Amino acid sequence: FCVDPKHEIMGKESETTATVRTRKFLTNRLLNRKQMVVDVLHPDRATVPKSEIKEKLAKMYKTTGDVVFCFGFRTAFGGGKSTGFALIYDTLDYAKKIEPKYRLVRQGLLEVKKTARKQRKERKNRMKKARGTAKAKLAAATKKE
Amino acid sequence: MVEDQKQEVGSSATIASDLPKGVALLADLATNLNNATATFDVLAEKIKNGELNSAKGLSLLELKNQSFLTYMANLVYLTLRKLKGLKIEKDSSIDRLVEARVVLERIRPLEDKLKYQIDKHVKTAADGVVSADDTLRLTGNLDNIVSSSDDDEEKEVTSKVKKTDDEEQKIYKIPKITQAHYDGEAKKNEAKEKARRRTLNSSMLRDALLEHTEDPEVVYNNDVLKQRAIKKRRELEVFEEENMIRKVVSRRDKAAMRQMTTLGTMGSEILGFNTMDALQHDYDPSAPAAKRQKTGKSSKSKGKGKFKGKKGFKKQKHRF
């Protein structure tokens, strides 16, 4: 067993590449997208990351990677095969309208500004002390930026 | 005045043109009359001698003859009256003429229907050949006789006799009044068949049979409980792929999907020894089932013996 430094540098990508196959392809005209079940075959390899699958699908369907959303990947027992879903939108606008927020966040198209959890809880506790219009004032004062 | 003169001239001209035609016609008339009288004399002699006896003939044709005669007689009477210059208005002979005419017109279609028969009869009379075959040939051609307007005529023209009538009378056919409910002659057999199949497919018998067959041994993973779990898993898979959603499977269900069969659940199948009954010919599935059920249950509850739950199972494993 010899250690190839090149492979180490490249990270987790091993000698064998993953095969991406799609099943149950359906063009959903109502939501302006194509939806499918994705089978990934990756023997001798850990589960393939979603980004890689995204790039592969974009190449297959001749679109950019930012309209491809893949999710729900489950690796079969024993490894080597995982199954998930993928949606490919017609345009990014439709994607932004239709996709749920968490997936947009994953993709990096949306940013949710969250104050620290501790801060939120402290604010809530402070608001508990006030009543009526004072409460509203306090809420405005400590409003999220 | 001028018009009348013209008409007179016109009529005289027509007379002049028609005159030779009229003469020719008169000559023709004379010759035809001579021929007719000759034939009539012959006919009259025949009738006098009694050669033409139509008592056994078709009454329809008799009627036709008589009506023709009346028609001719009355027509001649009227023409005589006209020649003498008398009026024929409101004469009773006209009514008789009309009646005869109507009768003749009604007879015509009937005669057309009987034409075939009449021709056949005439032919046999002319040939003089009467054999056994002929009587069958003379039977009515059902295609020609369409309507049953005049039944007397059709009875004379008899139809074919069914050959299989006698045979049909001998076989007794149940009169069908209402629908008869057909019960499970098949159901009884089904239950029997089912029980038989179940015993044949039991693991015990199959192991016994394996010794005697030369087929290669196939090992399936057919744990009873796992089948259910496998089925469930498959259903889940289908659902998830249809709706592009991942369902949350509770821990228990996950465990069930991976569960191994233990002896406690399979015991009845292995240890039930009176399963061979179904293979007997006189097996009745509706017989008191208490006997069979008892042994099944008891084997389960008798897990206190050698094979006691998990431990017992482990012991068995280590044997191998």
Side-chain angles (χ1 to χ4, degrees):
Chain A
F1 175 76
C2 62
V3 178
D4 197 349
K6 211 179 187 178
H7 283 277
E8 275 185 42
I9 288 162
M10 281 175 78
K12 295 215 174 127
E13 174 105 37
S14 59
E15 305 92 49
T16 59
T17 52
T19 316
V20 172
R21 261 196 271 131
T22 60
R23 272 190 297 131
K24 295 204 177 172
F25 183 86
L26 175 68
T27 310
N28 194 336
R29 283 267 129 253
L30 299 166
L31 295 171
N32 304 301
R33 71 185 184 199
K34 302 184 188 107
Q35 50 196 57
M36 65 209 79
V37 174
V38 179
D39 275 340
V40 187
L41 299 165
H42 47 93
D44 301 339
R45 217 184 133 172
T47 308
V48 182
K50 285 199 289 278
S51 51
E52 197 181 318
I53 295 169
K54 193 174 77 160
E55 294 309 315
K56 289 220 160 114
L57 281 171
K59 223 190 287 175
M60 273 169 75
Y61 287 91
K62 295 165 193 122
T63 52
T64 53
D66 53 354
V67 288
V68 181
F69 295 83
C70 31
F71 59 98
F73 280 91
R74 294 267 177 85
T75 314
F77 190 77
K81 182 177 176 195
S82 33
T83 312
F85 312 116
L87 310 167
I88 303 174
Y89 284 88
D90 293 346
T91 61
L92 196 61
D93 287 335
Y94 281 126
K96 282 189 180 169
K97 265 191 232 176
I98 296 161
E99 275 289 277
K101 297 280 173 345
Y102 74 92
R103 270 192 230 146
L104 293 170
V105 171
R106 281 189 197 173
Q107 198 88 315
L109 299 167
L110 199 69
E111 275 189 37
V112 179
K113 282 183 189 170
K114 255 192 190 175
T115 50
R117 192 154 175 251
K118 195 73 189 165
Q119 303 299 322
R120 275 183 280 145
K121 287 192 189 280
E122 279 179 2
R123 178 170 174 257
K124 176 205 64 168
N125 289 332
R126 264 175 267 144
M127 288 204 352
K128 273 200 274 183
K129 288 183 196 166
R131 190 86 177 85
T133 45
K135 195 173 194 175
K137 268 189 195 168
L138 201 63
T142 59
K143 198 181 176 178
K144 280 193 265 180
E145 280 137 21
Chain B
M1 280 284 280
V2 179
E3 284 173 6
D4 286 343
Q5 279 178 355
K6 271 190 184 170
Q7 273 185 2
E8 273 184 36
V9 167
S11 61
S12 65
T14 50
I15 287 164
S17 64
D18 285 341
L19 198 62
K21 282 185 198 172
V23 169
L25 279 170
L26 279 169
D28 276 337
L29 190 69
T31 48
N32 284 331
L33 277 167
N34 284 328
N35 291 335
T37 45
T39 51
F40 267 125
D41 288 335
V42 172
L43 201 66
E45 253 196 67
K46 272 191 179 178
I47 288 164
K48 275 183 191 174
N49 294 337
E51 285 172 20
L52 301 170
N53 190 5
S54 62
K56 290 180 184 177
L58 286 173
S59 53
L60 185 75
L61 296 174
E62 186 67 42
L63 178 67
K64 197 180 174 186
N65 287 336
Q66 294 295 334
S67 53
F68 255 131
L69 282 170
T70 50
Y71 190 81
M72 293 307 290
N74 282 297
L75 200 66
V76 164
Y77 170 70
L78 286 175
T79 46
L80 275 173
R81 275 182 79 92
K82 267 198 158 176
L83 283 169
K84 286 185 180 176
L86 299 170
K87 278 190 180 179
I88 58 168
E89 203 180 330
K90 289 181 188 177
D91 206 319
S92 58
S93 62
I94 292 171
D95 297 330
R96 288 195 286 271
L97 273 174
V98 168
E99 197 187 319
R101 185 69 184 273
V102 167
V103 167
L104 284 166
E105 277 175 8
R106 290 282 170 85
I107 284 169
R108 208 164 138 269
L110 295 171
E111 208 195 331
D112 284 340
K113 286 173 189 174
L114 292 170
K115 189 176 180 295
Y116 179 72
Q117 300 307 312
I118 293 162
D119 289 344
K120 266 273 158 66
H121 279 288
V122 165
K123 197 181 169 189
T124 50
D127 292 344
V129 179
V130 179
S131 64
D133 299 328
D134 268 356
T135 49
L136 282 173
R137 266 189 252 153
L138 289 172
T139 53
N141 192 355
L142 291 168
D143 297 325
N144 287 342
I145 300 165
V146 178
S147 70
S148 59
S149 56
D150 214 344
D151 281 332
D152 293 331
E153 260 68 50
E154 284 187 341
K155 273 179 187 172
E156 286 182 24
V157 179
T158 50
S159 58
K160 275 180 237 167
V161 178
K162 272 189 186 174
K163 289 178 190 175
T164 55
D165 252 348
D166 289 337
E167 286 175 30
E168 278 185 348
Q169 280 170 9
K170 284 175 188 174
I171 300 165
Y172 174 67
K173 287 190 176 173
I174 303 160
K176 293 176 187 175
I177 305 163
T178 53
Q179 281 182 330
H181 176 63
Y182 177 64
D183 199 23
E185 200 40 65
K187 261 191 191 173
K188 223 193 275 179
N189 289 340
E190 249 183 63
K192 206 174 172 181
E193 280 290 312
K194 226 180 176 180
R196 190 165 189 274
R197 255 184 277 138
R198 219 185 287 144
T199 56
L200 284 174
N201 291 336
S202 69
S203 56
M204 199 182 75
L205 267 180
R206 255 197 268 149
D207 287 340
L209 285 169
L210 273 173
E211 292 177 44
H212 301 281
T213 56
E214 289 174 355
D215 303 339
E217 189 179 321
V218 189
V219 179
Y220 294 107
N221 176 27
N222 56 351
D223 301 323
V224 177
L225 276 185
K226 242 190 174 176
Q227 292 283 40
R228 222 178 287 156
I230 286 165
K231 230 191 203 177
K232 215 176 178 185
R233 193 193 224 131
R234 219 176 285 157
E235 269 178 41
L236 188 74
E237 257 186 63
V238 170
F239 174 83
E240 283 187 343
E241 290 192 352
E242 274 300 305
N243 304 325
M244 310 209 56
I245 204 169
R246 288 281 180 216
K247 269 210 144 182
V248 177
V249 187
S250 70
R251 213 171 289 163
R252 201 177 288 178
D253 291 338
K254 248 191 256 176
M257 284 185 191
R258 292 192 226 125
Q259 192 186 29
M260 270 182 23
T261 49
T262 59
L263 200 70
T265 51
M266 260 179 67
S268 58
E269 206 184 83
I270 295 171
L271 299 173
F273 281 107
N274 44 342
T275 53
M276 298 268 249
D277 291 347
L279 295 173
Q280 309 298 331
H281 282 292
D282 53 352
Y283 177 66
D284 189 11
S286 60
K291 238 187 185 178
R292 285 183 275 130
Q293 270 184 6
K294 238 187 189 177
T295 46
K297 274 186 186 167
S298 63
S299 69
K300 262 191 181 175
S301 63
K302 273 183 189 166
K304 292 176 188 170
K306 271 191 195 172
F307 313 108
K308 191 169 134 188
K310 275 189 185 170
K311 261 192 182 174
F313 191 68
K314 269 189 186 167
K315 259 191 187 169
Q316 210 182 20
K317 243 187 168 178
H318 285 310
R319 254 185 238 160
F320 294 99

